[in-house]
C-alpha cells in the first residue's frame, strides 16, 4: 500500500495537526520527516487539547505506530517531556508505538544557546526563529560534526562527544560576549535522557520499508510549511530543513514510487510568524479580525512561541508555487469559519512588481517585499458555518470561494475545516469521510 505526504502550503501553522489526525485514522504508520520541536500541532479531541511539538499526531490513534525519522532534529529532554505530558493525558506512548530514528540529529543545549546568540547578533534583521536550536543543529549536521540519536546507545562516547560539542560552542559564545553553558550539567541531563530514550531508538528507514513491503499505509506528517523550506522558501527567513514533499523521501528514506497522494494544507487566508515578506499582509482592523480576539483557542497565536501571527488575504500566487514545488494531488482549506461575516473577500491572483504584472513568486526577498498583490474580489457570506457538517449546506458564497481557489491553483479542494474540533471537517459529497478514531 502506498504513502501519503501531508505538507503545509504556506508559512506553517496551516492546521496540519488536525488534518494529520484525520488522515492518521486511515494510516498504519505516521512519520515526521523534518524539523524538530519548533513545530506546534494542535489537535482538539472533545474537551482535551493536545499540543504536539515533535511526536506525530498519529499517536492519538491507538493502532498507529509513530516515527521520528532521520531527517528530524530532536531535543531529547523536550521529547521526554512531551512523552510524559501525553501519558498524563491518558495516551499510551511506548517504544512499540513511538520509534525514533538512530539517524536523527540531536539538538543540544549548545544549539539552543547558539540560536539565541545568532538572533541577538542579527538585531532588527533577525529571522524570528523559535529559539529551539533548530538552525545550529542542522548546521552541525551539514557540517558533518553533529551528534545522532544512535550515539546515545553508547553512553560513554556520547557523553564525551556532547561535552566536546558544548565546549566548542562555549568558545564561540564567549567570543561573542554571550553566556556560556555548563558542559557537565548539560551532559548529565542528556545522559539521563539517553537512558530513558534508548528503547525507542531504531533504524526507521528499514522499519518503514518493511511496513511498506507488508502493504501498510504510511502518512508522512509535515511540519512548518513550503515558504519556510530551506531551498524553496523565502530564504533567509526560512527554517533549516526541507518541509516540502521531497523532504519526506530524504527524511524517511523510501522511494517516490510509493507515494500516491500529496495533500497540501492551506488556511483560507494567510498567516506568518517571524520575520520575512508576507505580500498580502493586512494591518489594522482587518488584520485583527483575521487574527481573532485572543479569547479562544482558535486564534492566531503560535503554538510553540505564543507570538501573534501576522495575517493577510489568501495568496494564490504563492499557493500555485507550493503546488509546483510539492505536486499536490489535493488541498485542504482550514479555518474557513474565520471568514464568516466579511462582506467581501480578496484573493491575490497576481502581483505588480515595479512596472510589471507577474503571476509567479519572485525569488529574492527584496522583490517579494516590493510586490503589490492584485486581487480578485469575491462576495463574502454572513452565516456562521461552524456547525455545518455537509458540503451542500455551506453558503453558496463559501462554495464559490473554495472553487475559485481550486481553479486558480488547478488543484482540487475537497475538504475544509469550519472549527477546531475533530468533527468540524467538511468533505465534498462523494469524497471519502473518515471519522477520527
Ligand atoms: P526555526 O525553525 O526555529 O529556525 O525558525 C525559522 C523560521 O521558521 C521562523 O520564521 C519561525 O517563526 C518559522 N517557523 C519554524 N517552525 C514553525 C512552525 O511550526 N510554524 C510556523 N512557523 C515556524
Amino acid at each position: 500500500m502506498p504513502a501519503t505526504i501531508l505538507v503545509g502550503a504556506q508559512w506553517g501553522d496551516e492546521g496540519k495537526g488536525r488534518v494529520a489526525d484525520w488522515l492518521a485514522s486511515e494510516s498504519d504508520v505516521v512519520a515526521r520527516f523534518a524539523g524538530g520541536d519548533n513545530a506546534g500541532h494542535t489537535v482538539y479531541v472533545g474537551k482535551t487539547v493536545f499540543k504536539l511539538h515533535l511526536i506525530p499526531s498519529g499517536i492519538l490513534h491507538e493502532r498507529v505506530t509513530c516515527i521520528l525519522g532521520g531527517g528530524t532534529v530532536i531535543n531529547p529532554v523536550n521529547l521526554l517531556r512531551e512523552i510524559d505530558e501525553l501519558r498524563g493525558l491518558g495516551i499510551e506512548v511506548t517504544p512499540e508505538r513511538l520509534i525514533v530514528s538512530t539517524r536523527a540529529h540531536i539538538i543540544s543545549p549548545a544549539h539552543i544557546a547558539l540560536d539565541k546568540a545568532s538572533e541577538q547578533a542579527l538585531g532588527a534583521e533577525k529571522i524570528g526563529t523559535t529559539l529551539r536550536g533548530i538552525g545550529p543543529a542542522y548546521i552541525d549536521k551539514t557540517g558533518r560534526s553533529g551528534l545522532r540519536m544512535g550515539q546515545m546507545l553508547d553512553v560513554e562516547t556520547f557523553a564525551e562527544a556532547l561535552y566536546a560539542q558544548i565546549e566548542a560552542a562555549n568558545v564561540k559564545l564567549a567570543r561573542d560576549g554571550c553566556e556560556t553553558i555548563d558542559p557537565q550539567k548539560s551532559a548529565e541531563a542528556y545522559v539521563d535522557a539517553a537512558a530513558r530514550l534508548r528503547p525507542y531508538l531504531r533504524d526507521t528507514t528499514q522499519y518503514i520499508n518493511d511496513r511498506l513491503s507488508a502493504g501498510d499505509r504510511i502518512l508522512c506528517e509535515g511540519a512548518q510549511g513550503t515558504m519556510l523550506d530551506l531551498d524553496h522558501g523565502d530564504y533567509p527567513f526560512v527554517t533549516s530543513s526541507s518541509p516540502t514533499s521531497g523532504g519526506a523521501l530524504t527524511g524517511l528514506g523510501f522511494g517516490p514510487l510509493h507515494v500516491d497522494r500529496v495533500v497540501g494544507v492551506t488556511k483560507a487566508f494567510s498567516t506568518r510568524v517571524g520575520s520575512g515578506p508576507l505580500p498580502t499582509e493586512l494591518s489594522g482592523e482587518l488584520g485583527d479580525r483575521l487574527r481573532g480576539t485572543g479569547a479562544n483557542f482558535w486564534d492566531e497565536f503560535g503554538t510553540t512561541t505564543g507570538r501573534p501571527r501576522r495575517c493577510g488575504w489568501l495568496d494564490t500566487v504563492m499557493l500555485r508555487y507550493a503546488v509546483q514545488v510539492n505536486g499536490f494531488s489535493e488541498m485542504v482549506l482550514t479555518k474557513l469559519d474565520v471568514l464568516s461575516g466579511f462582506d467581501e473577500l480578496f484573493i491575490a491572483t497576481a502581483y505588480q512588481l515595479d512596472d510589471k504584472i507577474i503571476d509567479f513568486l519572485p525569488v529574492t526577498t527584496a522583490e517579494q517585499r516590493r510586490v503589490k498583490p492584485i486581487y480578485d474580489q469575491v462576495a463574502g457570506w454572513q452565516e456562521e458555518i461552524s456547525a455545518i457538517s455537509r458540503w451542500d449546506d455551506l453558503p453558496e458564497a463559501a462554495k464559490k470561494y473554495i472553487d475559485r481557489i481550486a481553479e486558480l491553483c488547478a488543484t482540487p479542494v475537497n475538504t475544509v475545516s469550519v472549527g477546531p474540533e475533530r468533527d468540524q471537517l467538511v468533505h465534498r459529497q462523494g469524497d471519502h469521510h473518515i471519522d477520527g478514531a
Side-chain angles (χ1 to χ4, degrees):
M1 288 276 275
T4 296
I5 301 176
L6 169 75
V7 297
Q10 300 168 300
W11 290 269
D13 303 324
E14 298 91 350
K16 292 177 293 297
R18 57 124 65 243
V19 179
D21 177 57
W22 160 50
L23 293 173
S25 65
E26 57 178 354
S27 307
D28 303 297
V29 174
V30 181
R32 273 279 306 271
F33 54 87
D37 60 342
N38 48 346
H41 289 171
T42 311
V43 183
Y44 300 80
V45 183
K47 289 205 162 40
T48 314
V49 184
F50 294 95
K51 291 200 172 191
L52 301 157
H53 295 284
L54 256 173
I55 299 178
S57 310
I59 202 75
L60 307 179
H61 295 259
E62 261 172 41
R63 56 178 211 89
V64 166
T65 307
C66 288
I67 289 183
L68 290 174
T72 62
V73 284
I74 297 176
N75 178 325
V77 174
N78 289 353
L79 174 58
L80 282 169
R81 186 176 308 134
E82 200 167 319
I83 290 174
D84 291 339
E85 277 169 13
L86 281 171
R87 285 190 179 145
L89 292 167
I91 305 296
E92 196 194 337
V93 190
T94 59
E96 287 70 46
R97 296 208 57 220
L98 176 68
I99 305 176
V100 180
S101 173
T102 43
R103 290 188 177 86
H105 276 250
I106 295 174
I107 298 180
S108 78
H111 297 136
I112 296 169
L114 291 169
D115 197 358
K116 283 185 191 145
S118 148
E119 285 286 88
Q120 258 168 29
L122 286 168
E125 293 302 311
K126 70 177 182 181
I127 310 290
T129 75
T130 58
L131 302 177
R132 299 290 169 121
I134 305 294
Y138 280 113
I139 289 172
D140 273 351
K141 173 178 172 172
T142 51
R144 293 162 292 185
S145 54
L147 299 179
R148 304 210 290 183
M149 291 297 282
Q151 283 172 259
M152 286 184 159
L153 294 169
D154 178 347
V155 177
E156 212 163 291
T157 57
F158 170 62
E160 275 169 24
L162 183 69
Y163 201 99
Q165 191 189 66
I166 293 172
E167 284 203 312
N170 276 342
V171 173
K172 286 190 209 154
L173 291 166
R175 191 191 55 206
D176 295 343
C178 299
E179 209 178 310
T180 54
I181 312 156
D182 179 347
Q184 188 64 39
K185 233 162 106 185
S186 300
E188 273 167 23
Y190 271 53
V191 166
D192 287 351
R196 273 191 71 196
L197 284 175
R198 221 164 290 137
Y200 295 85
L201 300 177
R202 212 152 137 182
D203 176 354
T204 54
T205 304
Q206 187 64 50
Y207 181 84
I208 289 182
N209 280 280
D210 286 349
R211 295 289 300 252
L212 281 166
S213 301
D216 291 330
R217 182 164 261 285
I218 314 288
L219 172 66
C220 310
E221 179 178 329
Q224 288 83 46
T226 301
M227 293 311 294
L228 295 174
D229 185 281
L230 182 60
D231 294 291
H232 305 291
D234 40 22
Y235 191 90
F237 299 101
V238 292
T239 190
S240 300
S241 68
S242 303
T244 42
S245 58
L249 306 179
T250 47
L252 295 172
F254 66 87
L257 295 182
H258 287 292
V259 180
D260 73 339
R261 193 177 182 193
V262 184
V263 182
V265 185
T266 173
K267 271 182 196 158
F269 48 100
S270 300
T271 67
R272 172 167 208 165
V273 285
S275 319
L278 179 60
T280 60
E281 185 163 9
L282 293 167
S283 53
E285 198 203 327
L286 277 175
D288 288 344
R289 222 167 130 188
L290 290 175
R291 191 173 303 113
T293 58
N296 59 46
F297 303 126
W298 200 222
D299 289 329
E300 294 298 351
F301 293 85
T303 306
T304 299
T305 59
R307 292 176 292 178
R309 295 178 188 149
R310 299 152 61 198
C311 297
W313 297 119
L314 192 73
D315 184 347
T316 59
V317 182
M318 192 281 289
L319 277 184
R320 281 197 298 270
Y321 174 70
V323 171
Q324 286 177 338
V325 168
N326 295 289
F328 296 146
S329 51
E330 68 202 78
M331 290 196 300
V332 174
L333 200 67
T334 59
K335 293 203 166 188
L336 191 64
D337 53 309
V338 173
L339 297 185
S340 284
F342 282 90
D343 291 334
E344 52 202 16
L345 299 168
F346 295 85
I347 304 173
T349 58
Y351 297 142
Q352 181 170 349
L353 177 61
D354 306 326
D355 56 355
K356 285 195 292 277
I357 305 292
I358 56 171
D359 62 358
F360 58 87
L361 192 71
V363 176
T364 67
T365 305
E367 286 174 313
Q368 286 179 19
R369 283 210 163 113
R370 284 209 309 281
V371 298
K372 294 196 176 61
I374 296 171
Y375 290 108
D376 247 20
Q377 184 176 337
V378 297
W381 59 93
Q382 298 306 316
E383 299 91 321
E384 191 20 70
I385 59 171
S386 44
I388 288 177
S389 57
R390 283 163 32 93
W391 193 274
D392 277 352
D393 297 337
L394 288 169
E396 280 312 307
K399 283 191 258 184
K400 280 198 180 139
Y401 182 71
I402 299 164
D403 288 344
R404 182 75 183 123
I405 294 163
E407 182 188 23
L408 285 164
C409 297
T411 305
V413 178
N414 291 328
T415 305
V416 298
S417 81
V418 293
E421 296 285 337
R422 241 182 197 172
D423 61 3
Q424 287 177 300
L425 276 182
V426 183
H427 302 268
R428 204 185 278 270
Q429 267 75 7
D431 194 47
H432 199 39
H433 184 182
I434 294 146
D435 291 320

